[in-house]
């Protein structure tokens, strides 16, 4: 597994504030918010990931941005999304979302052929939507708890449940399935994928860094909320559970 | 004060409290939902009109959007909900300072990003009454890629509907800022939080001034 891939993935995960950004795979559940017994270690790993971004990923991605045009970067992104089709297919099936799994199958067939190996996304244009499920979400839908918040080196914000999900996600990627040397293949293709993705989310990362008072807590909370919403596939921002006796929206007047 | 009079006052207070409580906790009615939705509709239309006006200077654009947002957001309630239990421990001066710096923080951070507007459209899709009387209005930002879901939570104040939270793709900004402020206050105290915000704002404003 390439370091850049992991670092870029971690960064993409902490950016829910994106305006105009494509939806990227994301990982979590609200339980984790008040569940961070390893905060000191997590913060150290978080800093490491940040440094990796600042000194390696961001400079390389800027170079990539300079020599490519946006349409190409978007096609590269779509190409890798298409390769992750088995993950979405099985994670949907695992949640008894048969219709969504069939959509994914249809998308894969259409985008791989008409969409020239997944570089384009004609499926969306003909009205077959993406159902971006992963195994962490599937475990969450099964009622499996997240466990404590956990910042992975290279991968970023996670938790034990989603980390296990991530292993399944990578196992159910066509790069793994079709390759005799999956680790090596994931490494070099992952490098390209994540440099490309970093270039696409550059402005979003700047916004997150500007907006955050404490980037670590910002990421922890955002990751939690995002995963929670992704698992519930909810239509609305539902009332949040009570925390420390104060619910989010009710404040007793003095 | 005689004890009989005091008793009457207490009794009157209780009656008033029982009258007021159910009203405050009642779920938002259909009319409330329509009113909140209309408020979001109007605000969205105003903002899009400014974004689409050709030939405005960057500063003008930011000023106009800012004044639209300031009218529609209830920053006092937002600050209170962000600070939550810390609110009670803070002095009135600290609360006031936090509210000012927080407002400024949102303004400089998001104002800086207005340049990213690229002819996206906003579709207000539905409204839902919450159990505490708030209304959540859903919208969708339609751009080139996948639409982005943005929910606004509004609260009635003196007959007007004001935004108290923005929920982007399931991420509540209120919750996010609450987590962050709680962390900073518990580690370093409320004054440090206000100082941090002020420094960040001054830094951003200097950058923006240098860029324009």
């Amino acid at each position: 597994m390439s370091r850049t891939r992991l670092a870029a993935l971690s960064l993409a995960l902490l950016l829910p504030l994106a305006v105009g950004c494509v939806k990227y795979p994301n990982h979590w559940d609200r339980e984790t918010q008040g569940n961070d017994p390893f905060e000191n270690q997590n913060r150290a790993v978080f800093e490491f990931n940040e440094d990796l971004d600042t000194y390696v990923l961001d400079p390389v991605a800027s170079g990539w941005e300079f020599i490519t045009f946006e349409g190409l970067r978007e096609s590269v992104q779509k190409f890798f999304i298409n390769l992750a089709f088995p993950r979405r297919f099985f994670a949907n099936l695992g949640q008894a979302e048969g219709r969504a799994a069939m959509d994914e199958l249809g998308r894969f067939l259409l985008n791989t052929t008409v969409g020239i190996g997944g570089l384009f996304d004609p499926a969306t244009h003909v009205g077959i939507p993406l159902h971006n499920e992963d195994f962490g979400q599937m475990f969450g839908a099964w009622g499996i708890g997240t466990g404590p918040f956990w910042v992975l080196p290279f991968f970023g914000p996670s938790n034990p449940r989603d980390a296990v999900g991530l292993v399944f996600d990578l196992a159910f990627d066509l790069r793994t399935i079709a390759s005799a040397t999956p680790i090596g293949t994931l490494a070099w293709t992952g490098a390209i994928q994540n440099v490309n993705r970093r270039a696409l989310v550059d402005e979003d990362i700047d916004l997150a860094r500007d907006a955050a008072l404490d980037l670590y807590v910002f990421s922890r909370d955002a990751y939690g909320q995002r995963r929670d919403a992704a698992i519930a596939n909810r239509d609305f921002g539902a009332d949040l559970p009570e925390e420390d006796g104060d619910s989010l929206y009710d404040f007793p007047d003095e | 004060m005689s004890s009989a009079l005091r008793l009457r006052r207490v009794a009157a207070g209780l009656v008033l409290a029982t009258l007021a409580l159910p009203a405050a906790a009642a779920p938002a009615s259909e009319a409330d939902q329509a009113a909140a939705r209309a408020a979001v509709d109007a605000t969205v239309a105003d903002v899009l009109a400014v974004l689409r006006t050709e030939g405005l200077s960057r500063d003008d654009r930011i000023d106009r959007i800012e004044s639209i947002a300031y009218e529609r957001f209830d920053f006092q309630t937002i600050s209170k909900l962000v600070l939550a239990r810390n609110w009670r421990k803070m002095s009135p001066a600290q609360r006031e300072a936090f509210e000012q710096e927080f407002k400024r923080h949102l303004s400089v951070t998001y104002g800086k990003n207005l340049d990213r507007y690229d002819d996206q459209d906003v579709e207000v899709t539905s409204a839902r009454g919450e159990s505490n009387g708030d209304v959540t209005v859903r919208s969708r930002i339609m751009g080139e890629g996948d639409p982005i879901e943005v929910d606004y939570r509004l609260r009635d104040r003196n007959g007007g509907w004001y935004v108290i939270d923005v929920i982007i793709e399931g991420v509540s900004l209120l919750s996010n800022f609450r987590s962050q402020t709680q962390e900073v206050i518990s580690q370093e105290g409320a004054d440090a939080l206000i100082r941090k915000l002020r420094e960040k704002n001054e830094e951003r404003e200097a950058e923006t001034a240098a860029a324009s």
Side-chain angles (χ1 to χ4, degrees), chain B residues 30-97:
Chain B
E30 301 251 320
D32 290 341
Q33 290 170 39
R37 186 176 171 156
V40 172
D41 273 329
T43 306
V44 163
D46 289 350
V47 168
L48 286 178
V50 174
L51 289 172
R52 286 172 179 161
T53 304
E54 311 258 336
L56 275 182
S57 78
R58 194 170 185 275
D59 288 347
D60 266 356
R61 205 177 291 269
I62 291 176
D63 285 349
R64 290 190 193 190
I65 303 264
E66 204 176 72
S67 61
I68 295 167
Y70 282 2
E71 268 178 38
R72 187 50 61 199
F73 281 69
D74 180 352
F75 286 103
Q76 205 182 340
T77 302
I78 292 171
S79 298
K80 213 167 158 179
L81 292 174
V82 162
L83 292 169
R85 62 199 150 101
N86 292 306
W87 173 269
R88 287 193 203 90
K89 299 176 209 151
M90 287 164 66
S91 70
Q94 284 177 319
R95 294 170 184 172
E96 177 64 22

Side-chain angles (χ1 to χ4, degrees), chain B residues 177-196:
Chain B
F177 278 112
R178 178 185 286 189
S179 305
Q180 294 183 69
T181 55
Q182 277 183 354
E183 182 93 359
V184 176
I185 291 175
S186 69
Q187 302 289 323
E188 305 165 63
D191 285 330
L193 171 73
I194 294 161
R195 197 177 57 238
K196 213 169 209 170

Side-chain angles (χ1 to χ4, degrees), chain A residues 16-23 30 33 39 43 70 74 121 124 130 200 203-223 225-226 229-230 234-240 243-244 246-254, chain B residues 80-81 83-85 87-88 95 105 109-110 112-113 116 120 126-128 130-132 134 136-138 141 144 146-149 151 153 155 164-165 167-184 187 193 196-197 200 204 207:
Chain A
L17 287 181
V19 174
C21 94
V22 193
K23 285 179 198 161
R30 185 174 320 283
Q33 184 56 43
E39 180 168 344
R43 277 190 185 268
E70 198 174 354
E74 277 166 4
D121 181 13
T124 295
L130 178 76
L200 281 170
E203 287 178 312
D204 302 324
I205 290 185
D206 288 345
L207 173 56
R209 286 179 178 159
D210 279 356
L213 306 175
D214 179 329
L215 192 60
Y216 171 79
V217 179
F218 172 98
S219 309
R220 182 178 67 193
D221 179 87
Y223 178 72
Q225 292 199 55
R226 203 60 199 87
R234 67 174 172 225
D235 291 333
F236 264 108
D239 279 350
L240 302 175
E243 41 170 88
D244 301 329
D246 288 331
S247 88
L248 185 58
Y249 296 111
D250 295 311
F251 194 91
D253 278 313
E254 290 109 299
Chain B
K80 213 167 158 179
L81 292 174
L83 292 169
R85 62 199 150 101
W87 173 269
R88 287 193 203 90
R95 294 170 184 172
H105 175 68
T109 309
Y110 293 95
K112 212 180 126 187
N113 278 274
R116 295 178 62 186
Q120 288 92 343
S126 58
R128 180 181 73 175
E130 305 293 352
S131 58
N132 71 344
D134 292 347
T136 303
V137 177
R138 276 200 98 183
I141 301 176
E144 276 184 21
D146 291 335
I148 300 165
E149 313 271 345
D151 297 349
R153 188 162 175 133
R155 183 165 289 179
I164 60 160
D165 193 11
I167 302 138
I168 303 166
E169 290 283 321
V171 178
S172 148
L173 291 189
L174 194 58
S175 164
N176 193 277
F177 278 112
R178 178 185 286 189
S179 305
Q180 294 183 69
T181 55
Q182 277 183 354
E183 182 93 359
V184 176
Q187 302 289 323
L193 171 73
K196 213 169 209 170
L197 263 172
K200 224 172 154 55
R204 283 298 97 69
E207 275 172 26

Side-chain angles (χ1 to χ4, degrees), chain A residues 45-81:
Chain A
V45 177
F46 188 84
E47 282 309 312
F48 169 77
N49 288 345
E50 279 287 297
D51 287 347
L52 204 64
D53 179 73
T54 305
Y55 298 111
V56 182
L57 189 57
D58 184 18
V60 176
S62 298
W64 175 245
E65 196 168 358
F66 185 72
I67 60 169
T68 54
F69 56 98
E70 198 174 354
L72 175 65
R73 294 191 292 273
E74 277 166 4
S75 274
V76 169
Q77 172 84 359
K78 287 180 177 131
F79 173 76
F80 287 111
I81 289 174

